[in-house]
Amino acid sequence: MREKGQEGRRRDMTALEQMGARVKKASEMMSHMGTAERNRGLAAAAAAILEGREEISAANEEDVKAALEKGMKPGLVDRLHLDESRITSMARGLMDVADLEDPIGEVLSMKPRPNGLLIGEKRVPLGVVGIIYEARPNVTADAFGLCFKTGNGVILKGGSDALCSNKAIVACIKKGLERENLPADGVWLIEDTGRGAAMELMKMNRYVDVLIPRGGAGLIRSVVENSTVPVIETGTGNCHIFVDESADFDMALRIIENAKTQRIGVCNACESLVVHRAVAETFLPRLRGVLSQVEIRGDEEARRVVPEFMPAAEEDWGAEYLDYILSVKIVGSLDEAISHINRYNTKHSEAIITSDYANAQRFLEEIDAAAVYVNASTRFTDGFEFGFGAEIGISTQKLHARGPMGLKALTTTKYVIYGSGQIRL
Amino acid sequence: MREKGQEGRRRDMTALEQMGARVKKASEMMSHMGTAERNRGLAAAAAAILEGREEISAANEEDVKAALEKGMKPGLVDRLHLDESRITSMARGLMDVADLEDPIGEVLSMKPRPNGLLIGEKRVPLGVVGIIYEARPNVTADAFGLCFKTGNGVILKGGSDALCSNKAIVACIKKGLERENLPADGVWLIEDTGRGAAMELMKMNRYVDVLIPRGGAGLIRSVVENSTVPVIETGTGNCHIFVDESADFDMALRIIENAKTQRIGVCNACESLVVHRAVAETFLPRLRGVLSQVEIRGDEEARRVVPEFMPAAEEDWGAEYLDYILSVKIVGSLDEAISHINRYNTKHSEAIITSDYANAQRFLEEIDAAAVYVNASTRFTDGFEFGFGAEIGISTQKLHARGPMGLKALTTTKYVIYGSGQIRL
C-alpha cells in the first residue's frame, strides 16, 4: 500500500495553505524553544503593543465607526471598542501569561519496563492552533499569548468587524517578536474574513492541529459541522441549581442570586432551578422576593405556589436565556432531579444545595457535566477561579479537555523511550 | 437566545437514533456502576462466549464460506476466521481486562482554593463510544471489553463480511450481561452494514461521544472527513530509523531487522532508513546482507554504495509499504535527518541508533511523533508492550490521546467541587 498523503497530491498551494505551511514551520522551531525564550517573546509583544497603542487605537476607531454606521448593537460595539486602558490590559495580560508556570517539557511519568526500556510521557506543544472568533479584538492578543507560551503556532480568524484592530494588534506582536529574533511567522491573522477562508481553514488538517471556536452557538455549530481538523468545542451553558429538601434556604438564595444575576450573559450563569417538592411551598415565595428583577417561569406546580410566576413551556427546560429569566421545575426526589438535569443540561456546570451527605455525593457522582458543585455558585467555572491563571475557553465536550481550559489544554504528550538495543520478541 | 438543541427538533426518531438513545441510557446507568459490578459483567460475557462457542463457530463458518465464494484474499479470510482457540482467547481477553486496574473514579488532584472551595478532577467514563472497524470479529469482543471495563456504552459497526460472526458474539455478550442483571443495552451491534448507516452514526452527536475507526487508511480518512462526532484517529505508520554516525552497527542491524521483518503488516514496522553519510559506505553493505529478503530502495547516494539497491522515487519517502520493502535515504547531519523525518513521517514511531548523548537528546526533543526511541525497535509502540495491559488502538493525532491507547484513553474527567456556600464576587 502506498501512502499518498504527503507528497502524492501535487498542485499549486492556495494562499491559505502557504500561510499554513509558514506557521507550521515556525511552530516546529517554537516547539524546541526554551521557557526563557518564549517568555522573552511575550514580553517583547507586550512592549510592542504598548508602543503601538496609538496605531491600534486609530485602527480600532475605524472598526467602531464602521460598526456604528451599520447599526451594530451597543453591547457588541462595547466589546469591539479598545480604549487606552483596554490596550494596556492586553499588554499586561501577556506579561501575566509569561509569569505562569511552563507546562512544556515536563515528563509526566517515566518507568522502566521488564526489558529495560525506560518509557516516559513528555508534555509538548500541539503544533498549530486555529482560533475562530467574533469581533472581540482582545481575544487576538489573548489567544496569541496562550499559544506562544505553550510553544504553539496560532492562526487567528477573527470577526470581520474587528479586522482593522486585529491587523494592528498582530502587526505589533510580529514587530516585537522580530526585534527579539523570534519566529514572527508563529502568529498569523487571516485577513480574508469571508466564509470561504473559514471553510478552507477547517479542512487544513495538514497544517492545523486543532481548531478552537470561541463565540456564539451558531459559530460553534458551524465549526463542529464543517471541520475535518479536530475541534475543541467550547460551549453554551444551561446550568441548573437543585434546591434539595435539606437545603439551607439562606445559602440557597444567596447562591441562586449570585449564579443568576451577578453576570447574566455568561455561560456559567444559572438558567434553571430544580426544587424539591417538600420545600416548594416555603422556599418559592422567598425566591420571588430575592429575584425581584428576574422573570421566573415555573411549571404548574410552582405556579400553584406562586401564581405570579409565568408558565414555563417545554422549550424553557433546554433554554440558555443569557437574560434576567429563570425557569423553575418541581421534583419529588433526588433521582427525578438528576434525571431532569441530565436530560436538559448542556454538560457545563450544575449545583446542588443540600445539607445531606449522601445526596451531595450522589449528585457529584451521577450528574454528567464538566463541573458539578455542592453548595457553591455555578459562576466559579472559570480558568482564573480554578487557579489556572489563564483560560482559552470552557470545553463542554469530553475529549482532550473538559471544563475551563488553561495552558495544559494547549499541550499534548509524546512518549520518549530510552533503550539499549531492545528488540521485540 | 433560546437553545434549540435538545427539544426544539421534533420528528420521529430513526431506527439508529432509537438504538443510540438506548445505549446512551444504559451508559448513564453504567457510569455509576462500581468496579466489582463491571468486572462481574466481563466475567459473565466471557462465560457466555465460551458456552456459545458452537453458535459463534457456526455463524463464523457462514461468513468464511461467503468470503471464500466472493474471492476474499487469504490474509483477510484468516483474520475473519474464528477457530476454537481464537474463541477461547476472546473470552480470556475479557477476563484479562477484568483483572486490570480500574481507572474510573480516581480523583486526580484535589486542592482548596483561597475561598475554601475544594476542587478535584475525577476520572469518569466518556459515555458512548462508537467503533467502526473491518471484518475482524475478535475486535467485537475486545472493544466491548475495554468499553465495559471503563463504564462506557459501545456501538459497534463492523465490516459486512463478519456480520454473522459479530451477531453471534454480541448475542452471547448480551446474554451474559442479562443473566447478571446488568444493562445489556450497553453494547449494540449495527446490523445494517450499508454506508448510509455508517454516515448516520458519524453524525449522531447527541448519542455518541467519540468515534474510533480501526482499519485501513481509507476507512480512517472517510471517518475523519465525514464525522461531526469527535474522532480519535488511529493511524498509519511510516516509521523511520536513523543510523547516526556513532551508531553501534551490530545493534543497528539487529534493531532494523526486527523493526522491518518481525511482522511486516503492522503500523509500527519500520518503512524507511535514514543513514548518516559518514557511515554509509561501511554500513550499507552489511545491511544488504542482513535484509536479504527485503527489497531496498535507495537514493542515488545509497545506490552508489550498493548498486543492487532499487532506485527510490519521491513517493517512496512517504510510503507505508506494509511489505518486505525498505527505503534508504542518506543525510549529512542530524539536522538533515530530523528535518527529513518530520517532513515525511506519519507522527507514529521514530528511532535513532546512536552512541552520542547530545544527538540522542536532540532526536527525542525535535522529532514530532507519538513515540520517539533511542536505541530500540519501533515495534514496541503497543499498549501491551508499554504495560497498559490493553489497547484500543494507536492514536497518531494529538488531541486527547497520543500513541498506544489503553483504558485511560476511554475516560474523561469532570470537576467535582465541594463548597460551603461560596458565591463569586
Side-chain angles (χ1 to χ4, degrees), chain B residues 25-197:
Chain B
K25 192 147 192 267
S27 80
E28 281 161 15
M29 280 190 275
M30 290 162 69
S31 74
H32 42 271
M33 271 164 37
T35 308
E37 235 174 329
R38 279 178 271 125
N39 288 344
R40 196 155 48 81
L42 291 168
I49 283 175
L50 289 178
E51 285 164 30
R53 60 179 162 258
E54 282 178 26
E55 289 89 330
I56 294 173
S57 194
N60 185 251
E61 268 170 41
E62 273 187 69
D63 283 335
V64 169
K65 188 160 163 264
L68 290 172
E69 274 166 16
K70 68 181 246 194
M72 185 188 274
K73 283 188 198 161
L76 295 178
V77 174
D78 178 62
R79 300 203 309 186
L80 175 59
H81 182 57
L82 291 176
D83 57 20
E84 177 92 16
S85 90
R86 282 181 180 178
I87 296 174
T88 310
S89 63
M90 270 200 305
R92 193 179 315 117
L94 294 179
M95 298 305 299
D96 288 346
V97 169
D99 285 343
L100 293 176
E101 199 186 335
D102 184 4
I104 297 298
E106 184 188 3
V107 178
L108 302 175
S109 71
M110 182 168 264
K111 286 184 194 160
R113 297 289 307 149
N115 62 3
L117 279 182
L118 188 59
I119 303 184
E121 202 179 357
K122 185 177 180 175
R123 207 183 275 287
V124 298
L126 283 167
V128 175
V129 178
I131 315 268
I132 300 186
Y133 55 110
E134 291 167 343
R136 301 184 66 169
N138 63 311
V139 172
T140 307
D142 203 30
F144 157 76
L146 297 176
C147 290
F148 198 83
K149 174 77 183 185
T150 45
N152 290 295
V154 62
I155 297 176
L156 300 161
K157 172 87 179 64
S160 55
D161 294 320
L163 183 60
C164 298
S165 314
N166 289 339
K167 279 163 77 169
I169 294 165
V170 170
C172 288
I173 292 172
K174 281 179 177 283
K175 196 188 290 171
L177 294 178
E178 273 158 12
R179 207 182 281 160
E180 293 286 330
N181 272 317
L182 294 169
D185 277 357
V187 51
W188 208 289
L189 175 73
I190 298 182
E191 299 186 6
D192 176 351
T193 58
R195 191 170 153 74

Side-chain angles (χ1 to χ4, degrees), chain A residues 5-276:
Chain A
Q6 307 247 17
E7 292 300 306
R9 293 183 289 247
R10 277 289 170 82
R11 56 172 173 70
D12 287 340
M13 287 166 84
T14 66
L16 222 59
E17 284 172 332
Q18 288 174 31
M19 175 277 298
R22 284 178 67 169
V23 180
K24 189 81 184 175
K25 191 146 193 266
S27 80
E28 282 160 16
M29 279 190 276
M30 290 163 68
S31 74
H32 42 269
M33 270 164 39
T35 307
E37 235 174 330
R38 281 179 269 125
N39 287 345
R40 195 155 49 82
L42 292 168
I49 284 175
L50 289 178
E51 284 164 30
R53 61 180 163 259
E54 282 178 26
E55 289 89 328
I56 294 173
S57 195
N60 183 252
E61 267 170 44
E62 273 188 68
D63 283 335
V64 169
K65 188 158 163 266
L68 290 172
E69 273 166 17
K70 69 182 246 193
M72 186 187 274
K73 283 188 197 162
L76 295 178
V77 175
D78 178 60
R79 298 203 309 187
L80 175 59
H81 182 58
L82 292 175
D83 57 19
E84 176 93 16
S85 90
R86 284 181 178 177
I87 296 174
T88 310
S89 62
M90 271 199 307
R92 194 179 314 116
L94 294 178
M95 298 304 298
D96 289 346
V97 168
D99 285 342
L100 293 177
E101 199 187 334
D102 184 4
I104 297 298
E106 185 188 3
V107 178
L108 301 175
S109 70
M110 183 167 263
K111 286 184 194 159
R113 295 291 305 149
N115 62 3
L117 279 182
L118 188 60
I119 303 184
E121 202 180 357
K122 185 177 181 176
R123 205 183 276 289
V124 298
L126 283 167
V128 175
V129 178
I131 315 267
I132 300 185
Y133 55 109
E134 291 167 342
R136 301 183 66 168
N138 62 312
V139 172
T140 307
D142 204 29
F144 156 75
L146 298 176
C147 291
F148 198 84
K149 174 77 183 184
T150 46
N152 291 295
V154 63
I155 297 175
L156 301 161
K157 172 85 179 67
S160 56
D161 294 319
L163 183 60
C164 298
S165 314
N166 289 338
K167 279 163 75 170
I169 294 165
V170 170
C172 287
I173 292 172
K174 281 178 178 283
K175 195 187 292 170
L177 294 177
E178 272 158 12
R179 207 183 282 160
E180 294 286 331
N181 272 318
L182 294 169
D185 277 356
V187 51
W188 208 289
L189 176 73
I190 298 182
E191 299 186 6
D192 176 351
T193 58
R195 192 171 153 73
M199 291 297 286
E200 194 182 340
L201 177 63
M202 293 182 212
K203 313 274 184 199
M204 288 214 315
N205 296 53
R206 184 163 174 190
Y207 304 113
V208 186
D209 294 284
V210 56
L211 273 183
I212 305 178
R214 288 182 57 167
L219 171 75
I220 290 163
R221 195 174 313 126
S222 159
V223 174
V224 168
E225 279 171 12
N226 294 301
S227 183
T228 53
V229 175
V231 173
I232 299 180
E233 204 174 333
T234 63
T236 52
N238 176 23
C239 306
H240 298 74
I241 293 176
F242 171 50
V243 181
D244 193 15
E245 67 182 309
S246 67
D248 172 329
F249 281 8
D250 289 333
M251 183 197 283
L253 292 167
R254 200 167 62 240
I255 287 173
I256 293 165
E257 185 191 17
N258 181 258
K260 179 68 254 182
T261 67
Q262 197 238 1
R263 206 167 151 204
I264 56 160
V266 289
C267 57
N268 55 18
C270 176
E271 304 290 11
S272 187
L273 222 57
V274 181
V275 178
H276 197 290

Side-chain angles (χ1 to χ4, degrees), chain B residues 80-348:
Chain B
L80 175 59
H81 182 57
L82 291 176
D83 57 20
E84 177 92 16
S85 90
R86 282 181 180 178
I87 296 174
T88 310
S89 63
M90 270 200 305
R92 193 179 315 117
L94 294 179
M95 298 305 299
D96 288 346
V97 169
D99 285 343
L100 293 176
E101 199 186 335
D102 184 4
I104 297 298
E106 184 188 3
V107 178
L108 302 175
S109 71
M110 182 168 264
K111 286 184 194 160
R113 297 289 307 149
N115 62 3
L117 279 182
L118 188 59
I119 303 184
E121 202 179 357
K122 185 177 180 175
R123 207 183 275 287
V124 298
L126 283 167
V128 175
V129 178
I131 315 268
I132 300 186
Y133 55 110
E134 291 167 343
R136 301 184 66 169
N138 63 311
V139 172
T140 307
D142 203 30
F144 157 76
L146 297 176
C147 290
F148 198 83
K149 174 77 183 185
T150 45
N152 290 295
V154 62
I155 297 176
L156 300 161
K157 172 87 179 64
S160 55
D161 294 320
L163 183 60
C164 298
S165 314
N166 289 339
K167 279 163 77 169
I169 294 165
V170 170
C172 288
I173 292 172
K174 281 179 177 283
K175 196 188 290 171
L177 294 178
E178 273 158 12
R179 207 182 281 160
E180 293 286 330
N181 272 317
L182 294 169
D185 277 357
V187 51
W188 208 289
L189 175 73
I190 298 182
E191 299 186 6
D192 176 351
T193 58
R195 191 170 153 74
M199 291 296 287
E200 194 182 340
L201 177 63
M202 293 182 212
K203 312 275 184 199
M204 288 215 314
N205 297 54
R206 184 165 173 186
Y207 303 114
V208 186
D209 294 285
V210 57
L211 272 183
I212 305 178
R214 287 182 59 166
L219 171 75
I220 291 162
R221 195 174 311 125
S222 159
V223 174
V224 169
E225 279 172 12
N226 294 300
S227 182
T228 53
V229 174
V231 173
I232 299 180
E233 204 173 334
T234 63
T236 51
N238 176 24
C239 306
H240 299 72
I241 293 177
F242 171 51
V243 181
D244 194 14
E245 66 181 311
S246 66
D248 172 330
F249 282 8
D250 290 332
M251 183 197 284
L253 292 166
R254 200 166 64 239
I255 287 174
I256 292 164
E257 184 191 19
N258 181 259
K260 179 68 254 180
T261 68
Q262 197 238 2
R263 206 167 151 205
I264 56 160
V266 289
C267 57
N268 54 20
C270 176
E271 305 289 11
S272 189
L273 222 56
V274 181
V275 178
H276 197 290
R277 179 165 299 136
V279 295
E281 270 191 51
T282 44
F283 182 75
L284 291 181
R286 290 191 58 190
L287 178 74
R288 173 68 290 174
V290 167
L291 295 186
S292 51
Q293 82 278 46
V294 174
E295 175 184 325
I296 299 180
R297 300 183 184 169
D299 64 5
E300 269 185 44
E301 211 175 327
R303 295 184 68 229
R304 273 202 295 276
V305 179
V306 185
E308 302 82 52
F309 288 172
M310 305 290 290
E314 171 65 26
E315 66 254 35
D316 281 292
W317 309 129
E320 186 191 31
Y321 301 116
L322 301 172
D323 203 347
Y324 287 99
I325 307 174
L326 181 73
S327 68
V328 175
K329 167 88 185 169
I330 308 298
V331 296
S333 64
L334 176 64
D335 279 316
E336 211 186 312
I338 290 172
S339 129
H340 175 83
I341 293 172
N342 278 340
R343 174 166 180 198
Y344 291 102
N345 78 348
T346 54
K347 314 299 175 205
H348 195 295

Side-chain angles (χ1 to χ4, degrees), chain A residues 1-2 6 297 320 367, chain B residues 1-2 297 320 345:
Chain A
M1 192 184 84
R2 289 292 174 90
Q6 307 247 17
R297 300 180 183 171
E320 187 191 32
I367 288 290
Chain B
M1 192 185 83
R2 289 291 174 91
R297 300 183 184 169
E320 186 191 31
N345 78 348

